[in-house]
Amino acid sequence: MTIQPIELPETIVIGVLALQGAFIEHIHYLQKLRPQNHTIKAIPIRTLPELQQCQALVIPGGESTVISSIASHTPGLLEALIEFARDPQKAVWGTCAGMILMADVDGIGGGRKKMVKGWEGIGGMKVWRNLYGTQLESFEAPLTIPSLSNPSKPFNAIFIRAPAVHSLSPESQVEVVAQLPEQFLPPPPPLDSPLGEPNVDDLGKVWLKKGRKMVTSFHPELSGDVRVHEFWVEKCVLGR
Ligand SMILES: *[C@@H]1O[C@H](CO)[C@@H](O)[C@H](O)[C@H]1NC(C)=O
């Protein structure tokens, strides 16, 4: 999917949804970036006027139910977040719980639901929550990504009760940035789940991009490595 160029100010304000979860780390990582010709100002977002200052948004990890419930109790915020996620000119990145919020539907066990109606940032993606189970609730996996700066150095991806892609629709036009190495793959969800039959080839797709939208099922803000943030700012925020 090609990105339409847009006029961006010299100082780009990036909001990090700060209702709950790991937001402060995202702010610190974003503030370290020095993209050519622009300055990044990263701010926490708790209210509608704060969101309205932003050109781009990060939805961090945390509890997706808690995040959506707090957002819906803050005047105007949830509606504005939904608009933001739908606007093709706005860059949005969801990590972990943020990825769940960007899915069309998400499920766990026998359940199927959509956390927040309309917040379909990626389009055509179903996710399965907590597929990795208790044994693998947290783990680290090296990802090799040719499009990162210094590509020969693997990115140490940290997964904490990570969501997994259940399936991508064939029309989704989603670009896969990184796959989980085979030895880390979760067990496939049951074939007869309410989400429909999983696509086992999609299970390891832990980093996806579509236009200015991006999702990662891991926590790049805990790796001590700013390259995923740098990737998102260059490709999705600046569109270059
Ligand atoms: C930065 O700005 C200069 C001057 O306008 C331009 O030539 C250059 O391509 C820009 N760099 C990037 C990475 O866009």
Side-chain angles (χ1 to χ4, degrees):
M1 179 179 250
T2 52
I3 293 185
Q4 299 300 322
I6 48 174
E7 265 318 302
L8 286 165
E10 195 275 320
T11 298
I12 294 176
V13 183
I14 300 181
V16 181
L17 199 58
L19 302 174
Q20 196 241 2
F23 61 88
I24 198 75
E25 293 84 355
H26 279 291
I27 291 177
H28 290 157
Y29 280 42
L30 290 165
Q31 299 280 25
K32 283 186 193 159
L33 301 178
R34 299 284 177 267
Q36 241 186 59
N37 301 346
H38 291 282
T39 306
I40 302 284
K41 182 181 172 197
I43 61 169
I45 302 298
R46 296 187 183 86
T47 64
L48 179 58
E50 287 165 347
L51 180 64
Q52 286 165 338
Q53 300 169 36
C54 299
Q55 278 87 47
L57 177 72
V58 176
I59 307 168
E63 283 291 334
S64 51
T65 42
V66 177
I67 295 174
S68 59
S69 141
I70 300 174
S72 64
H73 292 104
T74 309
L77 185 58
L78 192 59
E79 295 74 16
L81 286 168
I82 291 170
E83 277 303 299
F84 211 100
R86 285 189 164 176
D87 185 341
Q89 302 209 325
K90 296 281 192 347
V92 180
W93 171 21
T95 60
C96 194
M99 174 172 174
I100 296 174
L101 289 165
M102 301 269 280
D104 287 0
V105 283
D106 63 275
I108 178 170
R112 168 196 173 133
K113 60 170 143 186
K114 172 61 191 161
M115 198 67 65
V116 184
K117 282 235 173 325
W119 200 335
E120 287 95 8
I122 285 284
M125 175 182 73
K126 294 180 182 177
V127 304
W128 193 269
R129 295 200 259 153
N130 299 354
L131 188 61
Y132 294 89
T134 47
Q135 200 186 348
L136 278 176
E137 270 192 351
S138 299
F139 63 99
E140 297 183 17
L143 302 179
T144 305
I145 303 123
S147 45
L148 282 190
S149 59
N150 193 8
S152 59
K153 183 184 167 205
F155 188 90
N156 183 39
I158 298 172
F159 293 81
I160 302 167
R161 293 196 299 128
V165 172
H166 167 279
S167 51
L168 294 170
S169 80
E171 312 80 57
S172 66
Q173 289 186 288
V174 167
E175 184 189 321
V176 180
V177 185
Q179 299 247 20
L180 203 56
E182 203 168 340
Q183 68 267 33
F184 296 101
L185 286 181
L191 290 179
D192 59 350
S193 88
L195 288 188
E197 195 169 320
N199 185 352
V200 286
D201 292 335
D202 291 336
L203 284 179
K205 295 176 178 172
V206 292
W207 179 359
L208 303 169
K209 177 178 166 300
K210 179 171 171 180
R212 294 185 184 270
K213 306 296 189 278
M214 189 171 100
V215 289
T216 50
S217 67
F218 53 100
H219 285 267
E221 78 287 5
L222 301 177
S223 291
D225 187 333
V226 299
R227 288 180 298 163
V228 178
H229 291 74
E230 181 185 59
F231 177 99
W232 178 66
V233 166
E234 286 295 327
K235 308 271 185 200
C236 300
V237 179
L238 300 172
R240 52 194 193 190

